[in-house]
Amino acid sequence: MKTLFVSYRVTDLDRSLGFYTALGYVELGRVEIGDGSRLVILKLPGEPAASLELVHRPADGRVDVGSGIDHLAIQVDTLTVTLRTLAEAGLEPERVQYPGGPHGPKTSWLTDPDGYRIELVEWPFGHPDGITAADFS
């Protein structure tokens, strides 16, 4: 088994697509599911398959993120370049943080139009992609 993607319900599909495409996602496809509801499947350019689904169900009203979802983490190559690109696209990333100290990862946070939090992570030089058990030993 493997995780296919994360799915977020969104209030305004066009606004959310603008946000996620500015973040770097590209659209793979759309599905009309009736009553004006739609699914849009996205991925980041370096990913081999879908990683995010946006679900728009207008009849359900405005999205209330609540306290159940914490955040989506996205690995980036160079955080400073990513933050500059996002700012130029009109997004508002937060300041850089060093949660593991000066030799650990660099992170920044971003919030999408519905309030979903996104953590951008740049690993230190030499760290492999992703998180493995080795990160906890």
Side-chain angles (χ1 to χ4, degrees), residues 33-49:
I33 54 177
D35 293 339
S37 298
R38 294 177 283 173
L39 310 175
V40 179
I41 308 297
L42 306 170
K43 76 176 202 82
L44 289 167
E47 295 175 326

Side-chain angles (χ1 to χ4, degrees), residues 15-124:
R15 185 173 178 210
S16 292
L17 279 172
F19 176 89
Y20 284 99
T21 55
L23 186 53
Y25 282 91
V26 293
E27 185 175 323
L28 290 179
R30 293 176 180 229
V31 177
E32 300 290 329
I33 54 177
D35 293 339
S37 298
R38 294 177 283 173
L39 310 175
V40 179
I41 308 297
L42 306 170
K43 76 176 202 82
L44 289 167
E47 295 175 326
S51 60
L52 181 64
E53 175 185 59
L54 301 179
V55 178
H56 183 237
R57 291 189 180 103
D60 290 348
R62 182 159 182 74
V63 169
D64 177 11
V65 174
S67 63
I69 294 176
D70 195 82
H71 70 281
L72 171 66
I74 298 174
Q75 180 176 315
V76 301
D77 291 329
T78 308
L79 190 57
T80 55
V81 171
T82 300
L83 297 180
R84 183 172 53 248
T85 301
L86 295 174
E88 289 169 358
L91 304 184
E92 299 176 5
E94 296 176 10
R95 64 175 178 75
V96 174
Q97 300 175 19
Y98 300 87
H103 302 292
K106 296 178 193 173
T107 65
S108 177
W109 292 87
L110 192 61
T111 304
D112 91 345
D114 285 297
Y116 294 107
R117 300 272 295 151
I118 299 163
E119 179 184 25
L120 305 171
V121 179
E122 176 188 332
W123 294 118

